[in-house]
Amino acid sequence: MLNPIVTSEFANARQRLIVRPATDRIALVGRVRIPGDKSISHRALMLGALAEGETTIEGLLLGEDPRSTAACFRALGAEISELNTERVTVRGIGIGNLKEPANLLDAGNSGTTLRLMLGILASHPNRFFTITGDDSLRSRPMGRVVKPLSIMGAQIWGRRDNTLAPLAVNGQVLKPIHYRSPIASAQVKSCILLAGLATEGATTVTEPALSRDHSERMLRAFGAEVIVDPETISATVMGPAKLTGQAVIVPGDISSAAFWLVAAAIVPGSDLTIENVGINPTRTGILDVLLQMGANITLENERDAAGEPVADLRVRYGPLQGCEIGGAIIPRLVDEIPILAVAAAVAQGKTIIRDAEELRVKESDRLAVMAAALQKMGAQVTEQSDGMEITGPATLQGAEVDSHTDHRIAMSLAIAALVAQGETVIDRAEAAAISYPDFVPTLERLTASPI
Ligand code: S3P
């Protein structure tokens, strides 16, 4: 009997994922369900905690990042039921009513937890909070939210001139601002809007390009007055606001679907339907780019789930061509660039990714880590200060590579390994559980039956 395509070894909570080539042996066929959207899961827990009354959440992502958010908001006084995908209930305590926790809040690996929570905490007068995170999060820039919050009157202290966690927050009554953000970041935008909830007047954020708008949609659904101006790319929240508990349905995460979209597009013979994928236009840059590269993707069963558009995505194998990616599309696919780099490595011709310097301050430096791993696997990749230039098609070779404990790197390299020659070992693959706890079992299932 042939070796299975996917096996793994655990030692000291560290997973080495071993992936053997799938080409010629299997194709990815059938249907796959992906976990709930990470961004929407965080926001549902946070707004549920700030609302009055009960919020129910269906389809919550059970990854480590939303678990960090739930743990923080429990420590802040919200009652959150045991986490599961069927139905989580949050008994909110109302804006301004969070209690002062007796200990450090721990955001783990999650930038969204830390940055969004800062806006909420900074606007809670007469309370003192301390927040930390893991090694990766403690090295990520927090000045981008500390600065605008400070203009609103927040008191926040931290290492390196108040830009690195651990951070200490002395909650204040804030002033509204109109903040012109130098970066298109939903975490920055959401942090300021959340601070605006408790702040008298209009708090506005203008972005250089539109980032994901889940906060604006969900704040409205919970009863806040949110004004969006697409012309100026700005969002305003009117404070003080009152939120009322809602029934939230979390769609599948297109950022998790992205791994199967690319896998099925590059493994010959594949025909895979990914069910229940959120297709909010601020997140669908990956579809635009894959279609431009010639991928065979169709949207089926388009519908609405509690204010977010959803569809099933059918993807069939077909040759890909290189393309150029830059400008306003970047925030619409910012988390998908590692897996797009895999598609580009095996596509015909040159792919140029630019304006993506934000990748350097994600869970790892995703430009450096992805370029190095793909080079090790034999791809022609040149790292640029703000992106990558990739010339394909490469015949990838199995290699020993490392996730750098970055979930999206771990999963992207596992997909690259499916089309490599020989065995690939991905070290620290346990990182996938941050956003996709079932990634490895799903990969095992999809690669289990030979054609
Ligand atoms: C997120 C925003 C993005 C994204 C992250 C989730 C969010 O970060 O990369 O995975 O939920 O708001 P930035 O705002 O830093 O671009």
Side-chain angles (χ1 to χ4, degrees):
M1 198 179 114
L2 283 171
N3 264 335
I5 287 171
V6 180
T7 50
S8 55
E9 296 164 0
F10 279 94
N12 306 321
R14 197 164 167 146
Q15 184 178 27
R16 279 163 61 85
L17 182 68
I18 300 146
V19 182
R20 299 174 189 87
T23 29
D24 302 335
R25 278 179 56 194
I26 55 116
L28 304 176
V29 291
R31 304 182 76 82
V32 63
R33 269 190 97 83
I34 43 156
D37 188 278
K38 180 159 79 69
S39 295
I40 297 175
S41 294
H42 285 301
R43 287 158 173 80
L45 290 165
M46 290 187 191
L47 297 197
L50 291 177
E52 290 171 25
E54 187 176 273
T55 288
T56 57
I57 310 169
E58 207 182 293
L60 186 85
L61 167 64
L62 301 183
E64 287 168 25
D65 274 9
R67 288 186 192 281
S68 295
T69 294
C72 288
F73 281 83
R74 281 183 183 131
L76 291 162
E79 264 177 56
I80 303 175
S81 68
E82 199 186 315
L83 302 189
N84 63 64
T85 30
E86 283 76 53
R87 190 172 193 267
V88 171
T89 55
V90 183
R91 186 152 285 287
I93 48 182
I95 292 165
N97 295 331
L98 294 182
K99 68 167 213 241
E100 183 176 277
N103 207 340
L104 270 170
L105 295 164
D106 187 355
N109 189 245
S110 175
T112 309
T113 306
L114 179 36
R115 294 195 178 112
L116 270 58
M117 192 166 61
L118 268 184
I120 295 170
L121 302 183
S123 55
H124 262 73
N126 310 316
R127 322 268 207 297
F128 184 77
F129 311 93
T130 46
I131 316 149
T132 192
D134 71 4
D135 292 351
S136 153
L137 191 57
R138 279 184 281 104
S139 68
R140 293 178 65 188
M142 295 302 144
R144 56 181 58 198
V145 288
V146 171
K147 185 179 155 209
L149 288 174
S150 302
I151 301 171
M152 294 177 82
Q155 289 188 357
I156 303 171
W157 298 271
R159 293 180 299 130
R160 225 137 334 126
D161 204 14
N162 310 324
T163 62
L164 292 180
L167 295 167
V169 180
N170 193 20
Q172 299 292 319
V173 175
L174 301 181
K175 308 184 286 285
I177 54 168
H178 183 162
Y179 186 60
R180 288 176 179 80
S181 176
I183 41 176
S185 159
Q187 292 179 358
V188 172
K189 172 173 64 179
S190 304
C191 168
I192 307 306
L193 294 178
L194 290 171
L197 286 176
T199 305
E200 174 95 45
T203 297
T204 302
V205 183
T206 299
E207 307 186 85
L210 185 62
S211 66
R212 64 193 66 191
D213 67 356
H214 305 299
S215 295
E216 295 91 305
R217 287 174 187 247
M218 205 185 286
L219 280 167
R220 266 204 192 127
F222 274 72
E225 190 183 340
V226 178
I227 305 143
V228 170
D229 182 359
E231 289 278 295
T232 57
I233 324 182
S234 56
T236 299
V237 68
M238 300 303 297
K242 178 169 136 42
L243 305 181
T244 309
Q246 298 295 314
V248 179
I249 301 172
V250 183
D253 197 329
I254 192 165
S255 297
S256 298
F259 302 107
W260 308 127
L261 285 171
V262 171
I266 64 177
V267 173
S270 296
D271 183 352
L272 194 63
T273 300
I274 311 159
E275 295 173 350
N276 192 38
V277 184
I279 51 161
N280 178 316
T282 60
R283 298 285 300 281
T284 48
I286 175 80
L287 297 180
D288 296 355
V289 168
L290 286 174
L291 288 168
Q292 195 191 330
M293 293 176 85
N296 185 346
I297 299 174
T298 48
L299 272 63
E300 297 173 355
N301 197 12
E302 284 186 55
R303 57 207 185 268
D304 179 272
E308 290 279 350
V310 170
D312 300 334
L313 305 180
R314 182 172 180 192
V315 52
R316 279 167 276 194
Y317 167 76
L320 301 179
Q321 287 97 48
C323 71
E324 294 199 14
I325 309 168
I329 199 167
I330 295 294
R332 297 179 53 234
L333 47 68
V334 67
D335 291 337
E336 288 67 75
I337 290 175
I339 189 64
L340 274 174
V342 173
V346 297
Q348 176 77 45
K350 192 180 266 194
T351 293
I352 300 174
I353 301 169
R354 53 169 77 91
D355 305 320
E357 52 281 285
E358 271 295 299
L359 264 73
R360 297 207 181 272
V361 291
K362 294 292 179 190
E363 288 82 330
S364 69
D365 177 344
R366 288 181 173 161
L367 295 178
V369 169
M370 230 22 235
L374 285 175
Q375 279 161 2
K376 201 165 178 197
M377 295 180 77
Q380 262 196 60
V381 184
T382 323
E383 182 187 341
Q384 313 281 6
S385 61
D386 67 340
M388 286 184 252
E389 218 174 276
I390 304 170
T391 309
T395 308
L396 296 180
Q397 306 295 329
E400 286 245 1
V401 287
D402 182 359
S403 78
H404 290 254
T405 62
D406 182 327
H407 53 131
R408 302 206 195 278
I409 301 289
M411 294 185 274
S412 300
L413 294 176
I415 301 305
L418 289 176
V419 295
Q421 292 187 339
E423 191 174 279
T424 299
V425 179
I426 301 142
D427 196 13
R428 298 195 273 182
E430 74 284 351
I434 290 290
S435 62
Y436 200 157
D438 276 343
F439 176 78
V440 172
T442 307
L443 183 64
E444 279 167 354
R445 176 175 72 78
L446 288 171
T447 57
S449 36
I451 30 177

